[in-house]
Amino acid sequence: MHTSFVVFNIIGLAIIVIAAFRIGVKVSKASKREAPEAQNKVTPEESFAKNNEKFKYGTFTDARDGETYHTVQIGNQVWMVENLRFKTEGSYAPGNEEENVKTYGRLYTWTAALNIPSEYTEQSPAKDLNMYHKIKEDNYQGIAPEGWHIPSLKEWEQLMDNLPAKSGGKELRSESAWLNPGTDSLGFFALPAGYRFDNGTYCQFGKRARFWCKDEYGKSNAYRLSLTINSMDIEGVYRSDAISVRCVKNV
């Protein structure tokens, strides 16, 4: 047997062993992340009670269905501390489980959030100029209760101005429900309700939060604020996706 052949086999075996070791490490890390002891054991109720003690939340009752929401002032804005729960066509329960609505609110398509016909899922509301200009006005109500409205891109950016530079959004994330707990230093109490695609698939419940903005982003998209366990951004997503709605008080 040639020496080169033996060396070749030894090198090949070494590569296989190293690859297997790396895969084993990845599997081990993944298992630890998914292990019960690695999960966030702070309940939303415990986290909320702590926040309420600290921020002295206000309250508001939606006259349409009697749902009461807590509120918080952040800078010059007043936000609902909870995701909207108002049930309407084009709204869904997070994770496709109605029991999640009480804590996580409902998920809405963009047209449901803006309370406009579903035909505007893939075309601009500019087809109806009166409606288009109404949406552009400040304090556009949409599906929000009376006295509240769907946030604009500018209002989301105003909220983010209260965060440190290069923030990953931990100041907005609740201390509960997230695998990587937030500090929730502003009392916003963002929970990971996930989202729903238009094909009926529910994704990222317990892992990601997305909130609608009233502003369009291209022909069939709209802006949204997204929070993950370590990041925050504002980008466009399909209007047919169903995501959370946070309401901001009229000024």
Side-chain angles (χ1 to χ4, degrees):
M1 184 178 296
H2 293 294
T3 302
S4 59
F5 181 75
V6 174
V7 172
F8 176 79
N9 279 295
I10 291 174
I11 293 174
L13 180 61
I15 292 173
I16 292 173
V17 170
I18 292 171
F21 174 76
R22 289 179 175 175
I23 292 173
V25 170
K26 289 182 179 179
V27 170
S28 176
K29 288 181 178 179
S31 297
K32 288 179 180 178
R33 285 196 300 267
E34 297 301 323
E37 61 270 18
Q39 302 300 315
N40 186 348
K41 295 182 180 180
V42 179
T43 68
E45 292 76 17
E46 290 170 337
S47 179
F48 183 86
K50 179 180 177 181
N51 274 20
N52 198 17
E53 178 81 15
K54 179 179 179 180
F55 297 103
K56 308 298 181 185
Y57 288 147
T59 58
F60 168 83
T61 300
D62 188 342
R64 299 171 297 182
D65 57 8
E67 287 284 340
T68 296
Y69 298 88
H70 289 81
T71 66
V72 66
Q73 181 161 344
I74 302 175
N76 294 323
Q77 299 171 305
V78 176
W79 290 85
M80 284 188 181
V81 177
E82 301 155 82
N83 297 342
L84 192 66
R85 296 186 288 270
F86 184 69
K87 190 172 184 178
T88 186
E89 184 176 353
S91 70
Y92 308 89
N96 201 25
E97 296 288 344
E98 283 295 325
E99 64 184 21
N100 290 331
V101 173
K102 180 180 179 180
T103 300
Y104 293 88
R106 301 190 70 82
L107 306 176
Y108 301 83
T109 63
W110 186 73
T111 54
L114 267 64
N115 198 22
I116 60 177
S118 60
E119 66 183 279
Y120 296 108
T121 299
E122 296 187 357
Q123 62 177 309
S124 172
K127 177 182 177 182
D128 181 335
L129 287 179
N130 287 333
M131 182 173 66
Y132 177 77
H133 289 303
K134 185 177 180 181
I135 292 172
K136 292 293 184 182
E137 293 176 359
D138 293 338
N139 300 333
Y140 176 71
Q141 182 174 350
I143 200 65
E146 188 71 30
W148 297 77
H149 62 273
I150 306 300
S152 65
L153 175 60
K154 182 178 179 181
E155 286 174 312
W156 279 120
E157 291 174 338
Q158 184 179 344
L159 174 67
M160 292 169 66
D161 285 342
N162 295 282
L163 309 181
K166 298 183 180 180
S167 169
K170 66 180 181 179
E171 298 83 6
L172 299 179
R173 298 197 315 270
S174 167
E175 291 183 302
S176 63
W178 300 88
L179 185 58
N180 181 12
T183 61
D184 208 1
S185 56
L186 301 179
F188 189 77
F189 199 64
L191 293 172
Y195 47 91
R196 178 189 184 274
F197 292 133
D198 64 353
N199 65 3
T201 302
Y202 290 82
C203 301
Q204 300 292 307
F205 177 71
K207 298 180 180 179
R208 184 173 299 218
R210 287 180 172 178
F211 305 97
W212 277 126
C213 170
K214 73 171 184 176
D215 296 292
E216 298 176 80
Y217 182 89
K219 182 179 178 181
S220 58
N221 291 24
Y223 284 103
R224 56 89 182 113
L225 173 71
S226 174
L227 294 170
T228 69
I229 61 172
N230 54 21
S231 68
M232 171 182 63
D233 65 59
I234 294 180
E235 259 294 348
V237 293
Y238 288 115
R239 300 175 194 172
S240 56
D241 288 358
I243 65 178
S244 300
V245 165
R246 272 298 177 96
C247 304
V248 61
K249 192 172 183 180
N250 294 355
V251 293

